[in-house]
Amino acid sequence: MKFFTWAMPLLSLYCTSAAAERCDVNFNYGVIIDPAHVRMLEHGQTIVQINGTEQLFVNGRQANLNEEQKQLLKEFTAGIRQQVPEIVSIAIEGVDIGLKAVNNVIGSLTGENSASHQRIQEKFDELQMRLRKRFNHSDKSYYIAPQDFDDFDQIFAGQFEQEIEEIVSESIGTILVAVGEAMSNHDEENVEQRVDTFDERMENMGKNLQLEVSSKADALESKAEKFCQGLIALDQIETNMKQQIPELSDFDLIKTSHH
């Protein structure tokens, strides 16, 4: 059946959708932002804390800043507050593209409210909730661990990758069971004709799915590229800030290939 020519690649769909151009940027520290503070952590210890936009603490000691230094700190803080939520957004959107595509296929083949579709939908919802938890993501609070952004796929490595593959594998099994049941309910003379019709339907759905995913993945890649450029610009602000504020001379949150 032609079904397999596009069904199996669904296993890696989410990877394709999450992929982006290489971004030679990394965070050397963990970053926590909430409405009142921005904190940078090393091995779980806060090494730099910014209260509001103008109050700076380095290793627990407050730095006295002049107006020029405060302005640099303000620019840096604004950049961090813009970029960190963007990382979370890209990560979640990347997974969403693949999951929604698979979900649409299951829904259209087994029925939107079928038991199998609802069961898979619940697993997707649970996975997305835990993905958000991974970033400690609430309305205005985020946490990003120290990491490279040169390959966005790596953000999803480990347990999420394995779980998504399991859900998709189960989805494909569910489709095949539904197809088998539909065909066994009809007399044998029509089976061959029904297989051909099903193949055709699958092929069309596969093409539509590919177009939809490619289009969304392109948009996401564009977003990731813009994010990368934003980090490179923020790295320049960080460099200026380090030169102007002696307490931060050894601080290096953002590392880029342009550095």
Side-chain angles (χ1 to χ4, degrees):
M1 291 171 71
K2 289 177 190 150
F3 170 73
F4 287 103
T5 62
W6 67 268
M8 297 317 287
L10 283 177
L11 288 169
S12 58
L13 246 181
Y14 73 95
C15 277
T16 308
S17 61
E21 291 289 326
R22 289 185 70 78
C23 180
D24 290 325
V25 179
N26 42 335
F27 274 10
N28 290 324
Y29 311 113
V31 178
I32 293 176
I33 64 172
D34 61 41
H37 316 94
V38 172
R39 291 192 288 143
M40 287 74 176
L41 291 80
E42 189 171 41
H43 308 304
Q45 298 292 315
T46 299
I47 56 166
V48 170
Q49 178 168 322
I50 303 162
N51 297 344
T53 58
E54 296 183 349
Q55 200 175 45
L56 172 69
F57 288 84
V58 181
N59 295 320
R61 294 181 181 177
Q62 185 171 359
N64 292 319
L65 306 177
N66 61 34
E67 287 308 310
E68 188 184 349
Q69 291 168 331
K70 283 180 183 177
Q71 184 55 38
L72 280 169
L73 187 68
K74 192 174 181 176
E75 283 179 41
F76 180 72
T77 307
I80 289 289
R81 287 191 175 280
Q82 182 184 345
Q83 296 298 333
V84 169
E86 195 66 12
I87 300 165
V88 177
S89 165
I90 289 168
I92 291 171
E93 198 178 325
V95 171
D96 277 354
I97 290 172
L99 294 187
K100 280 176 183 168
V102 176
N103 202 22
N104 288 344
V105 174
I106 308 296
S108 61
L109 288 173
T110 64
E112 287 291 339
N113 297 312
S114 68
S116 54
H117 181 247
Q118 285 179 345
R119 192 167 61 248
I120 287 162
Q121 181 63 57
E122 280 167 20
K123 286 190 177 182
F124 283 168
D125 291 345
E126 186 192 328
L127 184 68
Q128 284 163 324
M129 195 181 298
R130 281 192 293 118
L131 179 64
R132 283 175 169 82
K133 267 190 174 178
R134 172 174 170 169
F135 296 106
N136 290 6
H137 174 218
S138 64
D139 284 344
K140 290 179 181 174
S141 300
Y142 301 85
Y143 168 70
I144 295 292
Q147 62 190 292
D148 274 325
F149 299 108
D150 64 348
D151 186 352
F152 276 84
D153 290 349
Q154 293 309 307
I155 295 176
F156 320 113
Q159 67 180 74
F160 293 113
E161 184 174 352
Q162 189 180 345
E163 281 189 56
I164 293 171
E165 284 187 6
E166 282 171 12
I167 293 173
V168 176
S169 297
E170 185 180 319
S171 306
I172 292 169
T174 302
I175 293 172
L176 291 176
V177 168
V179 172
E181 285 173 357
M183 289 183 178
S184 64
N185 290 335
H186 294 80
D187 57 72
E188 288 185 18
E189 287 177 21
N190 289 328
V191 167
E192 195 172 331
Q193 186 184 342
R194 294 186 69 77
V195 168
D196 289 341
T197 307
F198 181 76
D199 271 350
E200 194 178 323
R201 188 177 164 198
M202 288 293 92
E203 201 169 353
N204 289 335
M205 190 177 291
K207 284 174 185 169
N208 292 338
L209 189 62
Q210 206 168 1
L211 282 171
E212 184 188 344
V213 170
S214 296
S215 153
K216 287 181 178 174
D218 286 347
L220 185 63
E221 189 168 309
S222 224
K223 193 173 176 180
E225 204 173 316
K226 191 177 171 187
F227 157 76
C228 189
Q229 293 306 315
L231 279 187
I232 291 167
L234 187 58
D235 183 42
Q236 188 54 57
I237 295 172
E238 181 184 83
T239 301
N240 295 342
M241 186 175 69
K242 284 166 58 178
Q243 289 168 351
Q244 297 294 325
I245 303 174
E247 288 89 342
L248 292 175
S249 58
D250 294 332
F251 173 74
D252 191 17
L253 170 67
I254 304 165
K255 188 175 181 182
T256 73
S257 60
H258 301 250
H259 200 105

